Amino acid sequence: MMKIFKKDLGLSTDHFYEIRAGCNTDDVFDTKFKIKAGKTLSEKRWRAAFKTGGSLDIGKCLNRIYHGGIHPSIRGEVWEFLLGCYDPKSTFDEREEIRHRRREQYAELKRSCSNMFPVVGSGKFVTARVIAANGDPIQDPIVLLGTNLESIPPQSQESVSLNQATLVNREHDKEIIQWKLALHQIGLDVVRTDRTLMFYEKQDNLAKLWDVLAVYAWHDKDVGYGQGMSDICSPMIMLYENEADAFWCFERVMRRLRGNFRCTGNSVGVEAQLDNLANVTRAVNPKLHLHLEHLGGGGYLFAFRMLMVLFRRELAFGDALYLWEMMWALEYNPEQFALYEGGETHKKSDVTRKFRRQYGKYARANRKNKSRARGKPETGAPLPFSIFLVASVLKDRSDKLLKEARGLDDVVKILNDISGHMDAKKVCIGAMKIHKKYLKRK
């Protein structure tokens, strides 16, 4: 693990996530996030939060993360807790056992995918269609798969030979057809994802990203693969050397976001979040909401991308990670692990004041508001913090939108202008203020 030295202080995260030389400056944003002593969660502060045996007092870290982010050298390790991969009450040995079990589970999932399509796990990936919608294989698969058998390792060549029927015979299983239909789109997205980073100059890293997305599409068949998932998964590939660890971290993020990617009939899941955004804006900034409705933007489709990929396109790579971890720290629920694993959670009456400190600031506010609302009609689960982040961006641009937007094209242009100029910390602080205002007015 990379050690933290004084020379790291004040450095931007570009120092850790190197940009390819000669990249078009239009494609690269300058990172605003700086590593700051006393604010950024350091390795020393992180280690000090663990008790003998391995249990973690994560409450000691949440405010530090919110105010100063996480040092890149420990980012992957901290994210696993923020995303609920591990119970903060678990011991070192228990976490090692869980990690080992998950790696075996991922290996089995990957073997299943490789048996259906041998390019998975070969170190290569595809960018061309491999199957027709009716299950017929695309002819001349070696050419159309965008790969070369001579460059595939011997063990994978044998797998291709043994499974030639999967490339020649018609497929009848609807789930397998659906999965294979997604593989080429995953490949097309992989070669476009974070193309400015040196990390993805290596073919092995591109193949690793494709493998994780392909396996996830089979693992979560209800959602499969949707454009934008590669942007969410890419940082996991960079942060975790072990592919299985990257997969399970991505899987935890997708538990929060999968509803956005679920398609039913003619609708996309993110539309529900756009409706939530409209409701929030109507409550806290009615003048702006009426103006957007007048322009035909009452459906808030202009915010589609921000919600789908969590500001990956509006921020520099390092700043997007900073925004994510601030958001996850604010939303943190110490019982996430039990919720995900199907274990028991505390009853409301059992949650002590000391235990409440283990919740993120946003999660605490929602719990407090729910307690006040007892006896009133049920309002459903708390909104994801990303809704308030977008509302914060709209508020920041509200004067410009009100004065200059005369049509939806103007709205899109004004919001596109934030790309490369957005301050993640400022937006996060603004989102908390809007959330507080929203709870009072709804």
Side-chain angles (χ1 to χ4, degrees):
M1 177 175 287
M2 189 184 303
K3 295 293 183 182
I4 303 173
F5 300 101
K6 287 184 178 180
K7 63 181 181 180
D8 289 342
L9 300 177
L11 287 176
S12 74
T13 50
D14 288 344
H15 178 74
F16 297 90
Y17 310 118
E18 295 182 84
I19 305 296
R20 288 168 50 192
C23 280
N24 188 330
T25 53
D26 292 337
D27 294 330
V28 181
F29 303 141
D30 292 329
T31 298
K32 296 177 176 59
F33 170 54
K34 305 289 184 181
I35 299 167
K36 297 179 181 178
K39 290 189 176 181
T40 302
L41 180 65
S42 66
E43 182 180 9
K44 182 178 179 181
R45 176 70 67 128
W46 174 244
R47 300 283 170 242
F50 287 91
K51 300 174 184 177
T52 303
S55 62
L56 171 67
D57 185 356
I58 198 168
K60 290 183 176 180
C61 304
L62 296 177
N63 279 338
R64 179 62 64 99
I65 295 169
Y66 171 51
H67 290 294
I70 301 168
H71 194 283
S73 64
I74 56 169
R75 179 166 269 152
E77 184 179 342
V78 180
W79 277 21
E80 288 181 310
F81 282 92
L82 289 180
L83 293 169
C85 292
Y86 297 114
D87 187 341
K89 299 189 297 294
S90 63
T91 65
F92 292 123
D93 290 341
E94 287 169 342
R95 290 195 289 274
E96 189 58 35
E97 182 182 338
I98 292 169
R99 187 183 296 276
H100 178 72
R101 185 176 72 246
R102 285 183 182 150
R103 287 178 177 179
E104 288 185 335
Q105 188 177 351
Y106 177 73
E108 183 57 37
L109 280 169
K110 193 173 180 180
R111 276 193 294 271
S112 297
C113 293
S114 182
N115 287 337
M116 293 184 290
F117 192 71
V119 177
V120 175
S122 70
K124 300 293 177 181
F125 58 93
V126 300
T127 56
R129 292 184 183 277
V130 302
I131 196 171
N134 65 358
D136 286 340
I138 301 296
Q139 298 303 310
D140 198 6
I142 295 174
V143 175
L144 293 177
L145 293 181
T147 187
N148 184 335
L149 282 180
E150 294 179 358
S151 63
I152 294 179
Q155 63 270 27
S156 296
Q157 289 185 34
E158 181 182 357
S159 180
V160 170
S161 176
L162 291 172
N163 289 277
Q164 195 68 26
T166 67
L167 303 178
V168 176
N169 295 336
R170 184 175 186 179
E171 180 58 64
H172 297 282
D173 188 300
K174 291 183 180 179
E175 288 184 339
I176 296 176
I177 291 172
Q178 196 62 36
W179 177 70
K180 287 186 177 180
L181 285 171
L183 296 179
H184 88 285
Q185 185 60 59
I186 295 174
L188 291 173
D189 289 347
V190 160
V191 296
R192 293 189 290 242
T193 301
D194 291 325
R195 62 188 181 276
T196 61
L197 298 178
M198 286 185 64
F199 180 82
Y200 285 114
E201 284 189 325
K202 294 182 179 179
Q203 173 83 7
D204 288 349
N205 293 331
L206 291 170
K208 185 176 173 183
L209 176 58
W210 185 80
D211 280 348
V212 167
L213 291 167
V215 174
Y216 180 81
W218 180 250
H219 170 68
D220 188 353
K221 301 179 188 67
D222 288 341
V223 172
Y225 176 78
Q227 285 187 281
M229 287 186 188
S230 61
D231 294 285
I232 304 298
C233 186
S234 172
M236 314 304 167
I237 303 302
M238 295 186 67
L239 290 177
Y240 301 99
E241 184 176 348
N242 187 285
E243 188 177 306
D245 297 342
F247 173 85
W248 290 113
C249 193
F250 173 63
E251 191 267 350
R252 285 301 195 261
V253 176
M254 285 304 300
R255 288 192 184 220
R256 298 162 179 249
L257 300 177
R258 66 189 298 275
N260 288 353
F261 292 91
R262 186 192 291 275
C263 298
T264 54
N266 296 322
S267 65
V268 181
V270 74
E271 291 176 9
Q273 300 300 351
L274 294 173
D275 289 342
N276 289 329
L277 175 61
N279 291 334
V280 169
T281 307
R282 184 187 295 111
V284 301
N285 198 338
K287 187 176 180 180
L288 176 61
H289 177 74
L290 287 173
H291 183 60
L292 292 173
E293 275 196 325
H294 177 71
L295 298 179
Y300 285 68
L301 287 174
F302 50 80
F304 184 95
R305 188 179 71 183
M306 285 185 263
L307 287 172
M308 284 293 281
V309 296
L310 299 179
F311 295 94
R312 279 298 318 273
R313 309 290 173 81
E314 286 75 26
L315 293 165
F317 183 80
D319 286 354
L321 306 196
Y322 175 42
L323 179 67
W324 289 4
E325 58 206 21
M326 283 194 292
M327 175 175 66
W328 296 335
L330 287 166
E331 290 180 318
Y332 184 75
N333 178 346
E335 300 186 83
Q336 281 175 138
F337 178 82
L339 289 169
Y340 291 156
E341 299 294 325
E344 293 185 2
T345 59
H346 287 78
K347 295 179 181 178
K348 292 177 186 176
S349 57
D350 294 336
V351 177
T352 64
R353 184 175 180 181
K354 182 178 180 181
F355 187 64
R356 282 196 293 270
R357 294 174 185 168
Q358 304 295 305
Y359 285 77
K361 189 176 180 180
Y362 177 78
R364 286 201 308 271
N366 282 323
R367 284 181 62 86
K368 187 175 182 180
N369 181 68
K370 196 165 186 177
S371 296
R372 288 175 175 172
R374 285 176 185 168
K376 296 182 181 179
E378 183 60 46
T379 56
L383 298 179
F385 189 62
S386 55
I387 298 292
F388 296 94
L389 288 173
V390 179
S392 178
V393 170
L394 293 178
K395 182 180 183 301
D396 189 57
R397 291 293 186 276
S398 60
D399 287 345
K400 200 172 182 67
L401 288 167
L402 289 168
K403 292 177 182 177
E404 300 179 18
R406 295 295 176 264
L408 283 182
D409 288 346
D410 294 331
V411 174
V412 172
K413 183 179 183 301
I414 290 169
L415 292 179
N416 282 344
D417 286 344
I418 70 172
S419 296
H421 305 288
M422 181 175 157
D423 187 321
K425 183 62 181 294
K426 180 181 176 182
V427 168
C428 211
I429 292 172
M432 285 298 293
K433 291 179 179 177
I434 290 173
H435 177 242
K436 184 177 181 179
K437 187 176 180 180
Y438 175 70
L439 291 182
K440 288 181 178 179
R441 294 198 177 187
K442 72 169 185 173

